[in-house]
Amino acid sequence: MSSTPLHIEFPETLPVSARRHEIEAAMRDHQVVIVCGETGSGKTTQIPKIALAMGRGRLNAKPGQRGQFIGHTQPRRIAASSVAKRIAEELKTPLGEVVGFKVRFQDRLSKDASVKLMTDGILLAETQTDPDLRAYDTLIIDEAHERSLNIDFLLGYLRQLLPRRPDLKVVVTSATIDADRFAQYFASKNGPAPVLMVSGRTFPVEVRWRPFEESRDYDLNSAITDAVDELWRGPQGGDILVFLPGEREIREAADHLRKHLSHQPVMRNAEVLPLFARLSQAEQDRIF
C-alpha cells in the first residue's frame, strides 16, 4: 500500500462539492445519510471522494491493518465501470489502483484499492459469503429511486445489518422526492435518517411535440428518422440521442437510420452508434 498521501480535489462547479462539509458532518454524526440530488449535481462522483477525505477506505488503514472498501453500487454494469474510470481520472490515479470496479465477468481492482464500484447484484451476492459485509466500512447505494428488486433486497438487508455493524456508514442517494421515504425507512432511536438536498446543474430545455401518426406505413422508426431530419436542419448542431426500451428496438432503429441517412448527401457520413448493455466493454468505451 502506498504511503504517499492522496491529493483529493473537489471541483467547486458541482453542487455536491459546495456542500461537502455538511455531508461530512452528517456522515460522522449518523450511520445512514440520504442525499437527494438531480442528475449533474455530482453526488455519484464526489461522495466516494468525501468518504476518502474522511479517512475511510483501505488507503487510510492503520499500518499492519488490511483496511476495508468504500463500496459504491450502481444499477448497471456500464455505469459501474464508467463511474470508476471518472473518479480515477479526477484522483489522477490509474484505474484499479485506488478506484476500481467489479462487475459480472470483469474485475479491475488491485489488492489495495479503496473504492469499489459494482452492481447491486454483485454486493447482494457477497452477502452469501460475507453476511456482515465486513469487507466494507462505507456503502453508497446510488440511484436508489430506481427500486429494482436488487436495490429493494439490499435496502432491507442493510436495515437489518446496521445494528450489528455500528461502524458501517451507509449513504443512500436518490434523484427524486422519495428521499423522505428512505429517511423514515432507516429511522433509528434518534429519529429519521438526515436528508441532504442538493440541486443539479440546469441547462435550457426546449420541448417539441411531433404529431402522432398511426398507420401501416408509418411506424416508430419512421418517426425517429423524421425527428432526426428536423433536428439536423436546426441551427444548434451537435449530436442526437435516441432512447429506446430494448436491444432489439435499438438495433432495428440503428439499421433503419443508416439506410435513411445513406440517401442524404449531407448526412451520409453521420455515425449511428447503438448502445446497450450486451456490448463489450471496448465497444461501450469507444462510444463514450
Side-chain angles (χ1 to χ4, degrees):
M1 188 178 298
S2 173
S3 59
T4 306
L6 182 68
H7 179 63
I8 302 175
E9 295 181 356
F10 293 90
E12 293 303 325
T13 55
L14 292 175
V16 161
S17 299
R19 302 196 65 182
R20 174 166 60 98
H21 299 298
E22 292 177 64
I23 296 172
E24 280 188 23
M27 289 178 66
R28 285 196 179 95
D29 296 341
H30 301 272
Q31 195 173 9
V32 181
V33 176
I34 314 298
V35 178
C36 188
E38 301 163 4
T39 300
S41 63
K43 62 185 186 299
T44 296
T45 55
Q46 303 308 302
I47 291 175
K49 290 161 62 178
I50 290 172
L52 277 173
M54 290 173 62
R56 305 187 76 80
R58 288 181 171 181
L59 188 71
N60 299 298
K62 295 177 182 177
Q65 291 185 350
R66 172 74 171 156
Q68 296 164 292
F69 285 119
I70 298 167
H72 190 175
T73 70
Q74 293 290 322
R76 285 166 290 277
R77 285 180 292 163
I78 189 171
S81 59
S82 60
V83 169
K85 290 170 186 173
R86 178 63 184 175
I87 299 173
E89 286 174 8
E90 291 188 7
L91 293 174
K92 298 178 174 61
T93 59
L95 178 65
E97 184 178 288
V98 176
V99 184
F101 66 90
K102 182 178 181 180
V103 297
R104 190 172 50 173
F105 309 130
Q106 204 171 9
D107 187 338
R108 290 289 299 275
L109 280 167
S110 73
K111 61 183 179 65
D112 294 324
S114 286
V115 181
K116 178 181 177 179
L117 271 292
M118 61 195 142
T119 57
D120 311 307
I122 291 288
L123 181 59
L124 199 57
E126 289 183 9
T127 62
Q128 302 297 308
T129 54
D130 182 11
D132 288 345
L133 296 175
R134 294 286 174 185
Y136 303 92
D137 63 21
T138 307
L139 284 171
I140 302 163
I141 310 300
D142 205 2
E143 310 290 1
H145 61 274
E146 294 206 4
R147 298 297 305 277
S148 67
L149 277 177
N150 282 345
I151 289 174
D152 281 359
F153 277 126
L154 267 180
L155 295 178
Y157 192 90
L158 288 174
R159 188 167 74 163
Q160 294 182 334
L161 173 64
L162 290 172
R164 305 199 304 270
R165 286 285 314 276
D167 59 310
L168 179 67
K169 299 290 186 180
V170 175
V171 180
V172 179
T173 79
S174 173
T176 69
I177 56 175
D178 282 342
D180 288 335
R181 295 175 63 188
F182 292 126
Q184 294 295 335
Y185 184 74
F186 284 105
S188 66
K189 61 182 180 181
N190 299 319
V195 176
L196 291 168
M197 307 295 292
V198 183
S199 62
R201 292 182 293 187
T202 58
F203 299 89
V205 175
E206 176 191 353
V207 179
R208 302 185 192 179
W209 295 97
R210 295 187 57 80
F212 176 73
E213 297 181 42
E214 187 174 17
S215 69
R216 181 173 296 179
D217 299 324
Y218 193 86
D219 57 8
L220 175 63
N221 289 331
S222 300
I224 290 170
T225 54
D226 285 351
V228 167
D229 288 345
E230 181 181 316
L231 290 169
W232 202 286
R233 288 194 296 268
Q236 293 86 0
D239 303 316
I240 298 170
L241 288 173
V242 180
F243 292 92
L244 291 162
E247 179 181 339
R248 182 173 61 84
E249 292 87 353
I250 291 169
R251 288 186 180 278
E252 288 176 356
D255 290 341
H256 189 87
L257 259 178
R258 287 193 191 98
K259 290 176 185 174
H260 173 74
L261 296 176
S262 67
H263 300 299
Q264 310 291 324
V266 178
M267 299 186 284
R268 63 173 49 151
N269 293 323
E271 278 192 283
V272 179
L273 303 172
L275 177 63
F276 45 86
R278 277 201 324 125
L279 282 177
S280 70
Q281 192 64 48
E283 289 174 306
Q284 293 181 16
D285 289 345
R286 184 176 73 87
I287 293 168
F288 279 100

